Amino acid sequence: MIILIPLAIFWVAILLFLIRFMYAPIIIVDTDKGAVEALKRSWEITRGKFGKLVALGIVFLLINIVGFIALIVGIFVTMAVTSVGFAVSYRMLAYEYDLKNKEEKIEGKTDTVLPAE
């Protein structure tokens, strides 16, 4: 029991980091950023989305299992589908993050600049 609790905490921490950093490779390809910048961006765009991303990963896993069961040939189709789904989820998170930051910058500027009357 003494060993199982720290081991469980360790695996939860590993899962957290894997989920938060899973978009780093696609960010490197998409934006030509370095590894450190890609890790930072991945951490930023996944903030507050842990539960949804875990659910998405489970759905992708189930789709691929079904493809494997379908005479193993189906895995080629399901891997392509889940890869596209992964890319689309990245685009959605990046767009949402960029839109949110743009709105915060605009709101920050309107708070400091008084309109001319």
Side-chain angles (χ1 to χ4, degrees):
M1 195 65 164
I2 294 172
I3 295 174
L4 292 179
I5 292 173
L7 191 61
I9 292 171
F10 172 75
W11 283 109
V12 169
I14 292 295
L15 179 65
L16 171 73
F17 283 106
L18 286 175
I19 296 289
R20 295 295 300 266
F21 292 136
M22 73 180 177
Y23 290 109
I26 198 168
I27 290 170
I28 291 172
V29 172
D30 186 40
T31 62
D32 289 331
K33 291 186 178 188
V36 174
E37 292 88 11
L39 290 170
K40 287 178 185 177
R41 175 116 170 122
S42 180
W43 188 268
E44 291 168 355
I45 67 173
T46 57
R47 179 174 287 128
K49 309 278 191 294
F50 183 76
K52 290 180 182 180
L53 292 173
V54 168
L56 182 66
I58 291 170
V59 168
F60 286 166
L61 179 66
L62 292 175
I63 289 171
N64 288 328
I65 288 171
V66 168
F68 184 76
I69 292 172
L71 299 175
I72 304 175
V73 177
I75 193 75
F76 296 113
V77 175
T78 60
M79 287 293 290
V81 169
T82 56
S83 295
V84 170
F86 180 72
V88 169
S89 69
Y90 159 70
R91 283 290 188 189
M92 291 174 66
L93 288 172
Y95 177 76
E96 180 182 333
Y97 177 78
D98 292 340
L99 186 63
K100 179 182 169 189
N101 279 349
K102 188 180 289 186
E103 288 174 357
E104 287 176 359
K105 287 180 182 177
I106 291 172
E107 288 174 5
K109 288 180 182 176
T110 56
D111 290 341
T112 58
V113 177
L114 298 174
E117 291 186 28

